[in-house]
Amino acid sequence: MKTHFKNARLIDPETGTDTIGDLFIADGLIVDSCTPDDVIDCGGKCLAPGIVDIGVKVSEPGERHKESFASAGRAAVAGGITTIVTRPDTDPAIDTPEVLEFVERRAAIDAAVNVLPMAALTKGRLGCEMTEIGFLMDAGAVAFTDCDRVITDTKVFSRALTYAKSCGALVIGHVQEPGLSAGGSVNAGKFAALRGLAGISPMAERMGLDRDIALLEMTGAAYHVDQITTARALPALERAKANGVDITAGVGVHHLTLNEMDVADYRTFFKLKPPLRSEDDRLAVVEAVASGVIDVICSMHTPQDEESKRLPYEEAASGAVALETLLPAALRLVHAGHMDLPALFRALSFNPAKRLGLACGRLTVGAPADLVLFDPDASQKLDRFSLKSKSKNTPFDGAILQGKVIATYVGGVNQTQVLADA
Amino acid sequence: MTFRAQHLLGIEHLHPSEITTLLDLADKYAEDNRKGRAHRGVLEGLTQINMFFENSTRTQASFEIAGKRLGADVMNMAMQASSIKKGETLIDTALTLNAMRPDLLVVRHPHSGAVDLLAQKVNCAVLNAGDGRHEHPTQALLDALTIRRAKGRLHRLSIAICGDVAHSRVARSNIMLLGKMENRVRLVGPPTLLPSGVEDLGVEVFHDMREGLEDVDVVMMLRLQKERMDGGFIPSEREYFHRYGLDAEKLSHAKPDAIVMHPGPMNRGVEIDGTIADDINRSVIQEQVEMGVAVRMAAMDLLARNLRAARGAQAAGVMV
């Protein structure tokens, strides 16, 4: 299968360019030129490397009613995401090669996009004993994380980091001082005081980051922070990078586009972990993405069923689905003038691929033909029940989102078309 | 008369004119209560359910008496002992009760926002009798009525709210109500018991009791929960009483005619000296309890009027 995309607005995050031109793909790869079977006139719409989303929760095994590989795959295709990097916070946790193989088998059968699994760093994500990092890497784990659980025992964590380094494994962590943030459900401040909810201080994130940076200086491990959401944490991150610590950081799209006030009258779809922050924090984090201090924008896709959200705020589950809303929501940053499209795709596609050592995330000849064709300006009002995800817990229900995916190509195959035909 | 609300979920959503309307009516009920004049027709034929997911003696009794004085059929449900133990969610409990067609639902719940959530799911008037650390509107209204009766006005007063503000829904509702009525509100307490971000709520913050009470018209004490006394938030009960307990000496910094209030139940010797609490020239604590019944009568009366109007309009096919 050979395809010629003509008249495309090519968004190349690697070179930082945004130009009208042609792109050729053949046998699943981007090529210099070819004799195409098919010519697609993009009509000046954007063609960019497909999104690589680190930290997607697919609720298999354990809670398939919330999200399966099939439904997550459909949602990813609808959202222009070509690679999902899945979280191990399932039930049971993905902490042995056997469970990992189950996940890979299920994904291979059902998912319409590339699925790269992460594995737990400690057994059962309990923070006591490290997992079989070597075996798990052989089985295909691309990174190791205990997700939102912080390993409080620094001896255990430092050993796991040291061992991971010797295997060449990437560790992903959640930076949070668990004592300080215990019991909280919203950002500490005026809003928390008004609503009578226990707050989580932004300082808890900074303390967690400071601790982990010290452990990285000690062990030399490769480390990615899942989410940086506060202004207070940014100087420490910038300093660590300048000092040559092997650290990168991400941020969820909701923390870039919403703030604590959006929780309003206890709207549980806005309950996230970490909580939505102040507007000052949001703007600082947006700026950090634009300047490259924060490397990656991700969805932090966390499906929750209606029952776990229809509860009093403090009892309700955290997290939001975002595979389908990641791109249109992130485009708000472009429309608001915070960054241009190549800079946005640097954070959505190029940087995450680079951090995981993947060949995708670029428009270079030889790279996999994982692409998203989208119209950055088309607007639509989101109806959460139209989402492809099994769970509908999005904070963007009823919001006007500007940006629409036209087609998602995975390995040169138009999966949007494939799913529509199925 | 202006009182548009369908529910009484908090002070936050009330307009000052609604507060005045409610207090004026409560004042009348207070006088009639003293004269033994009954108003059994006001809520006649209406069913009031008191749903308390958290222990309460005084508030529940006050709502029950208020309902009965106005002729409602009152039912108390001790929710701790019932279906939540069987795993039923709050919303299912609400829907079940709703199907029994109550008219007034009085709810207390340990989680902030739980009463708002419940109110979205039922077709009757909901009164918040305290949700977590969020709001306790009838307490703030009864405090306001007590102040207005003692001071002759409810504006341009200097009011100190003292003690455990962080965990107090009473404090939040009072801060909002007294602010809306244009009073100066001071919060006095150890910083560990004041919520972060409190400076942005339009109040003055004091960590020293004597400075905080200087020249105030009203001293409002808050209850210190037993479980917060040891080590976590304050070093000890005795140190707390020494530094923040209201005694004659500290009270001498307030205006000579300042009144002392407490939402009850009191911890004598912890946040308040027993002799101050019993001093009939200063303490209005018993009057607060009395006004509680009157305020709850007024609140249920006004909500029932709106409920009947809405149902009448609905029956006539008019959109409201």
Side-chain angles (χ1 to χ4, degrees), chain A residues 339-376:
Chain A
M339 61 191 74
D340 58 14
L341 280 168
L344 181 66
F345 276 86
R346 191 182 65 206
L348 286 171
S349 309
F350 181 72
N351 283 344
K354 190 172 148 205
R355 188 52 164 154
L356 295 166
L358 309 176
C360 60
R362 62 202 79 193
L363 295 182
T364 327
V365 168
D370 291 350
L371 302 166
V372 53
L373 178 63
F374 67 99
D375 178 345

Short mmCIF file of all heavy atoms in Angstrom, two decimals, chain A residues 339-376:
data_model
loop_
_atom_site.label_atom_id
_atom_site.label_comp_id
_atom_site.label_asym_id
_atom_site.label_seq_id
_atom_site.Cartn_x
_atom_site.Cartn_y
_atom_site.Cartn_z
N MET A 339 1.59 28.68 22.01
CA MET A 339 2.62 27.96 21.26
C MET A 339 2.10 27.69 19.85
O MET A 339 0.90 27.81 19.59
CB MET A 339 3.00 26.65 21.97
CG MET A 339 1.87 25.65 22.11
SD MET A 339 2.30 24.28 23.24
CE MET A 339 2.22 25.07 24.83
N ASP A 340 3.02 27.31 18.95
CA ASP A 340 2.58 26.99 17.59
C ASP A 340 2.38 25.48 17.46
O ASP A 340 2.67 24.72 18.39
CB ASP A 340 3.56 27.54 16.54
CG ASP A 340 4.97 27.01 16.73
OD1 ASP A 340 5.15 26.03 17.48
OD2 ASP A 340 5.90 27.58 16.13
N LEU A 341 1.89 25.06 16.33
CA LEU A 341 1.57 23.64 16.15
C LEU A 341 2.79 22.73 16.24
O LEU A 341 2.72 21.68 16.90
CB LEU A 341 0.82 23.43 14.82
CG LEU A 341 -0.68 23.77 14.86
CD1 LEU A 341 -1.25 23.82 13.45
CD2 LEU A 341 -1.44 22.75 15.71
N PRO A 342 3.94 23.08 15.62
CA PRO A 342 5.10 22.20 15.78
C PRO A 342 5.52 22.04 17.25
O PRO A 342 5.88 20.94 17.69
CB PRO A 342 6.19 22.90 14.96
CG PRO A 342 5.44 23.67 13.93
CD PRO A 342 4.19 24.13 14.62
N ALA A 343 5.41 23.13 18.02
CA ALA A 343 5.77 23.04 19.44
C ALA A 343 4.79 22.14 20.19
O ALA A 343 5.18 21.35 21.07
CB ALA A 343 5.79 24.43 20.07
N LEU A 344 3.52 22.22 19.81
CA LEU A 344 2.53 21.35 20.46
C LEU A 344 2.82 19.88 20.16
O LEU A 344 2.79 19.04 21.06
CB LEU A 344 1.12 21.72 19.99
CG LEU A 344 -0.01 20.89 20.61
CD1 LEU A 344 -0.12 21.18 22.10
CD2 LEU A 344 -1.34 21.17 19.94
N PHE A 345 3.14 19.58 18.90
CA PHE A 345 3.40 18.19 18.54
C PHE A 345 4.76 17.70 19.02
O PHE A 345 4.98 16.50 19.12
CB PHE A 345 3.19 17.96 17.03
CG PHE A 345 1.74 17.71 16.74
CD1 PHE A 345 0.87 18.77 16.54
CD2 PHE A 345 1.22 16.42 16.77
CE1 PHE A 345 -0.48 18.55 16.33
CE2 PHE A 345 -0.12 16.19 16.57
CZ PHE A 345 -0.99 17.25 16.35
N ARG A 346 5.63 18.63 19.35
CA ARG A 346 6.86 18.23 20.02
C ARG A 346 6.50 17.58 21.36
O ARG A 346 7.06 16.56 21.75
CB ARG A 346 7.74 19.47 20.24
CG ARG A 346 9.16 19.17 20.67
CD ARG A 346 9.92 20.46 20.90
NE ARG A 346 9.34 21.19 22.03
CZ ARG A 346 9.40 22.51 22.19
NH1 ARG A 346 10.01 23.27 21.30
NH2 ARG A 346 8.85 23.09 23.24
N ALA A 347 5.52 18.15 22.06
CA ALA A 347 5.11 17.63 23.36
C ALA A 347 4.16 16.44 23.25
O ALA A 347 4.12 15.59 24.13
CB ALA A 347 4.47 18.74 24.19
N LEU A 348 3.39 16.38 22.16
CA LEU A 348 2.41 15.30 22.02
C LEU A 348 3.01 14.06 21.37
O LEU A 348 2.60 12.94 21.69
CB LEU A 348 1.22 15.78 21.17
CG LEU A 348 0.23 16.75 21.80
CD1 LEU A 348 -0.74 17.27 20.75
CD2 LEU A 348 -0.54 16.08 22.94
N SER A 349 3.95 14.23 20.45
CA SER A 349 4.42 13.10 19.65
C SER A 349 5.93 12.90 19.73
O SER A 349 6.40 11.81 20.07
CB SER A 349 4.03 13.31 18.17
OG SER A 349 2.67 13.62 18.04
N PHE A 350 6.67 13.95 19.40
CA PHE A 350 8.12 13.79 19.23
C PHE A 350 8.82 13.46 20.56
O PHE A 350 9.54 12.46 20.66
CB PHE A 350 8.70 15.07 18.62
CG PHE A 350 10.18 14.99 18.38
CD1 PHE A 350 10.69 14.20 17.37
CD2 PHE A 350 11.07 15.71 19.19
CE1 PHE A 350 12.07 14.12 17.15
CE2 PHE A 350 12.44 15.63 18.98
CZ PHE A 350 12.94 14.84 17.96
N ASN A 351 8.60 14.27 21.58
CA ASN A 351 9.29 14.05 22.85
C ASN A 351 8.94 12.72 23.52
O ASN A 351 9.84 12.01 23.97
CB ASN A 351 9.03 15.21 23.82
CG ASN A 351 9.85 16.43 23.48
OD1 ASN A 351 10.82 16.34 22.72
ND2 ASN A 351 9.49 17.57 24.02
N PRO A 352 7.65 12.36 23.61
CA PRO A 352 7.36 11.06 24.23
C PRO A 352 7.98 9.89 23.47
O PRO A 352 8.49 8.94 24.08
CB PRO A 352 5.83 11.00 24.25
CG PRO A 352 5.34 12.09 23.39
CD PRO A 352 6.42 13.12 23.34
N ALA A 353 7.96 9.96 22.12
CA ALA A 353 8.56 8.88 21.34
C ALA A 353 10.07 8.81 21.61
O ALA A 353 10.64 7.74 21.81
CB ALA A 353 8.30 9.11 19.85
N LYS A 354 10.68 9.99 21.64
CA LYS A 354 12.12 10.05 21.86
C LYS A 354 12.48 9.50 23.25
O LYS A 354 13.44 8.74 23.40
CB LYS A 354 12.56 11.52 21.76
CG LYS A 354 14.05 11.74 21.74
CD LYS A 354 14.33 13.21 21.42
CE LYS A 354 15.60 13.66 22.12
NZ LYS A 354 15.62 15.09 22.36
N ARG A 355 11.68 9.86 24.25
CA ARG A 355 11.98 9.42 25.61
C ARG A 355 11.89 7.90 25.72
O ARG A 355 12.61 7.27 26.48
CB ARG A 355 11.00 10.09 26.59
CG ARG A 355 11.33 9.86 28.06
CD ARG A 355 12.76 10.24 28.35
NE ARG A 355 13.05 10.40 29.76
CZ ARG A 355 14.28 10.23 30.27
NH1 ARG A 355 15.29 9.86 29.50
NH2 ARG A 355 14.50 10.43 31.55
N LEU A 356 10.98 7.31 24.96
CA LEU A 356 10.80 5.85 25.02
C LEU A 356 11.66 5.13 23.99
O LEU A 356 11.61 3.91 23.87
CB LEU A 356 9.32 5.50 24.79
CG LEU A 356 8.36 5.99 25.88
CD1 LEU A 356 6.92 5.88 25.40
CD2 LEU A 356 8.56 5.20 27.17
N GLY A 357 12.45 5.89 23.21
CA GLY A 357 13.32 5.27 22.21
C GLY A 357 12.56 4.69 21.03
O GLY A 357 12.97 3.70 20.42
N LEU A 358 11.43 5.33 20.67
CA LEU A 358 10.63 4.84 19.55
C LEU A 358 11.00 5.60 18.28
O LEU A 358 11.44 6.75 18.33
CB LEU A 358 9.13 5.04 19.84
CG LEU A 358 8.61 4.52 21.18
CD1 LEU A 358 7.14 4.90 21.35
CD2 LEU A 358 8.79 3.00 21.27
N ALA A 359 10.78 4.94 17.16
CA ALA A 359 11.13 5.55 15.87
C ALA A 359 10.04 6.50 15.38
O ALA A 359 10.26 7.29 14.46
CB ALA A 359 11.37 4.46 14.83
N CYS A 360 8.86 6.42 15.99
CA CYS A 360 7.75 7.25 15.52
C CYS A 360 7.85 8.66 16.11
O CYS A 360 8.86 9.04 16.69
CB CYS A 360 6.43 6.60 15.89
SG CYS A 360 6.21 6.38 17.66
N GLY A 361 6.81 9.46 15.90
CA GLY A 361 6.79 10.81 16.47
C GLY A 361 7.46 11.85 15.60
O GLY A 361 7.71 12.96 16.04
N ARG A 362 7.77 11.49 14.33
CA ARG A 362 8.41 12.44 13.41
C ARG A 362 7.94 12.18 11.98
O ARG A 362 7.35 11.15 11.69
CB ARG A 362 9.92 12.35 13.55
CG ARG A 362 10.49 10.99 13.18
CD ARG A 362 11.85 10.76 13.83
NE ARG A 362 11.65 10.39 15.24
CZ ARG A 362 12.63 10.37 16.14
NH1 ARG A 362 13.85 10.73 15.83
NH2 ARG A 362 12.38 9.98 17.38
N LEU A 363 8.26 13.11 11.11
CA LEU A 363 7.85 12.97 9.71
C LEU A 363 9.05 12.61 8.84
O LEU A 363 9.01 12.76 7.62
CB LEU A 363 7.21 14.27 9.20
CG LEU A 363 5.88 14.70 9.84
CD1 LEU A 363 5.35 15.96 9.18
CD2 LEU A 363 4.83 13.58 9.74
N THR A 364 10.12 12.13 9.44
CA THR A 364 11.35 11.83 8.73
C THR A 364 11.19 10.57 7.88
O THR A 364 10.46 9.65 8.26
CB THR A 364 12.49 11.56 9.75
OG1 THR A 364 12.25 12.38 10.88
CG2 THR A 364 13.84 11.85 9.16
N VAL A 365 11.90 10.54 6.78
CA VAL A 365 11.91 9.34 5.94
C VAL A 365 12.44 8.17 6.76
O VAL A 365 13.45 8.29 7.47
CB VAL A 365 12.79 9.58 4.69
CG1 VAL A 365 13.06 8.28 3.95
CG2 VAL A 365 12.11 10.59 3.78
N GLY A 366 11.73 7.06 6.69
CA GLY A 366 12.14 5.88 7.43
C GLY A 366 11.36 5.68 8.72
O GLY A 366 11.35 4.59 9.29
N ALA A 367 10.70 6.75 9.16
CA ALA A 367 9.90 6.62 10.39
C ALA A 367 8.60 5.89 10.06
O ALA A 367 8.13 5.92 8.92
CB ALA A 367 9.61 8.00 10.96
N PRO A 368 7.99 5.24 11.05
CA PRO A 368 6.71 4.57 10.81
C PRO A 368 5.66 5.58 10.36
O PRO A 368 5.68 6.73 10.81
CB PRO A 368 6.33 3.99 12.17
CG PRO A 368 7.55 4.03 13.00
CD PRO A 368 8.42 5.11 12.45
N ALA A 369 4.77 5.13 9.48
CA ALA A 369 3.72 6.04 8.99
C ALA A 369 2.57 6.10 9.99
O ALA A 369 1.45 5.68 9.71
CB ALA A 369 3.25 5.58 7.62
N ASP A 370 2.88 6.59 11.18
CA ASP A 370 1.87 6.85 12.21
C ASP A 370 1.54 8.33 12.12
O ASP A 370 2.35 9.18 12.51
CB ASP A 370 2.42 6.53 13.61
CG ASP A 370 2.65 5.04 13.82
OD1 ASP A 370 2.21 4.25 12.97
OD2 ASP A 370 3.27 4.68 14.84
N LEU A 371 0.37 8.64 11.63
CA LEU A 371 0.06 10.03 11.29
C LEU A 371 -1.35 10.41 11.72
O LEU A 371 -2.23 9.55 11.84
CB LEU A 371 0.15 10.21 9.76
CG LEU A 371 1.48 9.88 9.10
CD1 LEU A 371 1.31 9.78 7.59
CD2 LEU A 371 2.53 10.92 9.44
N VAL A 372 -1.51 11.70 11.94
CA VAL A 372 -2.87 12.20 12.17
C VAL A 372 -3.15 13.35 11.21
O VAL A 372 -2.34 14.27 11.06
CB VAL A 372 -3.09 12.63 13.65
CG1 VAL A 372 -2.04 13.61 14.12
CG2 VAL A 372 -4.49 13.24 13.83
N LEU A 373 -4.27 13.24 10.53
CA LEU A 373 -4.74 14.29 9.64
C LEU A 373 -5.89 14.99 10.36
O LEU A 373 -6.86 14.34 10.75
CB LEU A 373 -5.22 13.68 8.32
CG LEU A 373 -5.78 14.64 7.26
CD1 LEU A 373 -4.73 15.63 6.78
CD2 LEU A 373 -6.36 13.85 6.08
N PHE A 374 -5.73 16.29 10.59
CA PHE A 374 -6.78 16.97 11.36
C PHE A 374 -6.99 18.40 10.88
O PHE A 374 -6.13 19.01 10.25
CB PHE A 374 -6.45 16.94 12.86
CG PHE A 374 -5.23 17.76 13.24
CD1 PHE A 374 -5.39 19.05 13.76
CD2 PHE A 374 -3.95 17.26 13.09
CE1 PHE A 374 -4.27 19.80 14.12
CE2 PHE A 374 -2.84 18.02 13.45
CZ PHE A 374 -2.99 19.29 13.96
N ASP A 375 -8.19 18.88 11.22
CA ASP A 375 -8.55 20.27 10.94
C ASP A 375 -8.46 21.01 12.28
O ASP A 375 -9.24 20.74 13.19
CB ASP A 375 -9.98 20.31 10.39
CG ASP A 375 -10.44 21.73 10.11
OD1 ASP A 375 -9.79 22.68 10.60
OD2 ASP A 375 -11.46 21.89 9.42
N PRO A 376 -7.50 21.92 12.42
CA PRO A 376 -7.30 22.55 13.74
C PRO A 376 -8.40 23.55 14.09
O PRO A 376 -8.50 23.96 15.25
CB PRO A 376 -5.95 23.26 13.60
CG PRO A 376 -5.81 23.52 12.14
CD PRO A 376 -6.52 22.40 11.43
#
